Amino acid sequence: MERKRVLSGIQPTGNLHLGRYLGAIQNWVKLQDQYECVYSVVNYHAMTMPFQPTKLRENVWELCYNLLACGVKPEYLSIQSMIPEHTELGWILGCMCSYGELSRMVQFKEKSEQVKEKDKDVFISSGLFTYPVLQAADILIYRADYVPVGKDQDQHLELTRNIATRFNNVTGKEYFQLPEPLYAELPKVMSTADPFRKMSASAGEKHNIDLFAPEEQIRKQIRSAVTDSGEVSDKMAPGVENLFSILNATGKPDVYRELMDSYHQGNLKYSQLKDAVADAVIDLVRPIQEEKQRILQDKKAVKESIKASSAQIRERARQTLREVKDLCGLA
Ligand code: TRP
């Protein structure tokens, strides 16, 4: 039987930190055993916010190296701009998506606020507005069955399904099947410096633990993690909960249980918890960092391999686009 298809995309912005790894990439790697996957470094999406060309190029390759170091298979990895059919399908789908639908996208509202706050002289690009249409094209061009995404992408996936339905209605053919979200039990990792906000690249260095940071830095960041304010409460403090959740997600269930027992008995020392988390994180990142060193020794070969996999994956995109154009009376 043919394997079901999975597609996901990641923006080449910011660094690869623990939150992104535990909340997405680790799962991408797992899914490769079971599905036919396409993972796209979506650089066209990264242009929707103010950007610098040199940085964009750097970020794309850096992210590719990082993803490979994490265990993403090279044959499943592609760079969006090497497959221009995404944008061509994006145009066609844009004509099947209403202005009103796009106006309701929460991410657009949030991101346009961000742009305004950062620099009032910078404009909000129309690309930011039509971004979800390109995302729909990313997904539909591979006729994906499943899209592993976080809850924040629900609305975009729903829109993708609406666009696919409209396409099928307009062309009178059940051409696109409707892609389903693929949720996994993934932790939402919070910033260790402020457990009330999500670990993120954009919030600044101290709010995320870089997967490729030196061991000492990782240890230091975890050691200085916010735990509780010393107030007596029968609810676990968010900072402590976050440390436990990291410990659980890094694959140390025994240590997790042991420390959780101590917590409930009221004799857990936070320094003990922090040391355990630091050890677990370092055990997790060490092989990934070693693999990255190996990859960096021959960047040229890696670039060639990603160009080749993108070309391979492009064949599938071409096929879909040919059929789509035919169905739309464009060819
Ligand atoms: N919008 C996604 C994000 O912000 C990135 C993305 C672009 C994506 N195209 C995609 C995710 C296709 C899944 C499928 O994280």
Side-chain angles (χ1 to χ4, degrees):
M1 211 180 78
E2 224 181 88
R3 295 209 294 176
K4 295 268 191 193
R5 283 184 294 256
V6 156
L7 176 121
S8 201
I10 184 167
Q11 288 208 46
T13 46
N15 57 338
L16 188 49
H17 54 72
L18 196 64
R20 248 178 159 183
Y21 179 77
L22 296 176
I25 309 305
Q26 198 178 38
N27 188 41
W28 282 19
V29 173
K30 271 198 217 120
L31 294 172
Q32 299 180 126
D33 298 335
Q34 208 183 332
Y35 299 102
E36 184 72 41
C37 305
V38 173
Y39 296 129
S40 182
V41 172
V42 291
N43 48 353
Y44 282 137
H45 285 270
M47 304 173 69
T48 58
M49 295 286 271
F51 75 102
Q52 285 171 13
T54 330
K55 258 273 42 77
L56 182 58
R57 181 181 293 111
E58 260 174 40
N59 284 349
V60 165
W61 288 115
E62 189 67 17
L63 182 55
C64 287
Y65 303 144
N66 289 346
L67 291 172
L68 293 174
C70 290
V72 169
K73 292 186 187 168
E75 64 269 32
Y76 287 161
L77 191 56
S78 63
I79 296 176
Q80 191 184 30
S81 65
M82 290 183 182
I83 308 179
E85 286 75 12
H86 285 233
T87 56
E88 194 173 347
L89 181 61
W91 176 263
I92 296 171
L93 298 182
C95 298
M96 303 195 182
C97 173
S98 75
Y99 177 83
E101 279 175 303
L102 287 177
S103 314
R104 288 192 287 276
M105 293 295 121
V106 175
Q107 200 181 59
F108 172 72
K109 290 177 198 164
E110 286 170 2
K111 289 202 170 180
S112 44
E113 282 307 314
Q114 272 177 37
V115 175
K116 273 189 257 171
E117 271 166 31
K118 265 217 183 83
D119 188 345
K120 57 178 175 6
D121 297 326
V122 169
F123 60 93
I124 293 160
S125 76
S126 60
L128 185 63
F129 186 67
T130 55
Y131 173 121
V133 175
L134 183 57
Q135 182 166 351
D138 296 338
I139 297 167
L140 297 175
I141 205 158
Y142 302 110
R143 328 276 301 268
D145 298 289
Y146 299 115
V147 186
V149 279
K151 286 270 172 221
D152 65 322
Q153 294 296 315
D154 270 0
Q155 210 187 12
H156 290 167
L157 198 62
E158 197 51 42
L159 181 74
T160 301
R161 295 161 58 85
N162 290 342
I163 292 175
T165 306
R166 198 161 301 125
F167 180 94
N168 293 346
N169 288 340
V170 170
T171 60
K173 192 172 169 188
E174 288 301 301
Y175 182 70
F176 288 123
Q177 80 262 29
L178 307 187
E180 303 275 351
L182 196 62
Y183 300 122
E185 280 293 319
L186 299 173
K188 182 171 168 198
V189 180
M190 309 304 281
S191 158
T192 47
D194 178 359
F196 290 95
R197 63 202 286 180
K198 221 171 111 176
M199 184 173 283
S200 87
S202 57
E205 243 171 69
K206 70 172 187 171
H207 290 293
N208 72 79
I209 295 173
D210 193 306
L211 224 52
F212 299 93
E215 242 181 78
E216 255 330 289
Q217 186 185 320
I218 295 179
R219 224 174 251 290
K220 214 166 116 194
Q221 271 183 292
I222 295 174
R223 239 187 252 130
S224 59
V226 172
T227 46
D228 66 18
S229 51
E231 277 168 43
V232 182
S233 157
D234 44 2
K235 245 188 96 201
M236 192 184 270
V240 179
E241 200 179 325
N242 190 38
L243 288 173
F244 270 115
S245 138
I246 296 174
L247 191 56
N248 194 35
T250 44
K252 301 273 187 214
D254 299 348
V255 189
Y256 172 85
R257 238 171 282 130
E258 198 183 302
L259 294 178
M260 194 57 106
D261 286 346
S262 313
Y263 173 84
H264 286 302
Q265 287 155 12
N267 54 19
L268 173 72
K269 283 209 206 70
Y270 289 147
S271 60
Q272 214 185 339
L273 174 62
K274 287 175 177 178
D275 283 342
V277 172
D279 288 343
V281 171
I282 286 162
D283 282 352
L284 176 86
V285 302
R286 193 176 290 126
I288 297 175
Q289 294 194 356
E290 283 167 7
E291 183 58 17
K292 170 123 184 227
Q293 284 314 313
R294 211 187 53 74
I295 286 169
L296 290 181
Q297 277 167 18
D298 200 350
K299 286 191 195 172
K300 214 168 138 223
V302 177
K303 284 186 179 173
E304 287 309 317
S305 109
I306 291 171
K307 284 181 195 162
S309 61
S310 298
Q312 278 273 320
I313 292 170
R314 184 175 181 190
E315 285 310 313
R316 283 154 54 191
R318 275 210 169 109
Q319 169 80 21
T320 303
L321 195 66
R322 258 196 303 273
E323 292 166 1
V324 162
K325 286 173 87 167
D326 187 35
L327 285 168
C328 290
L330 290 162

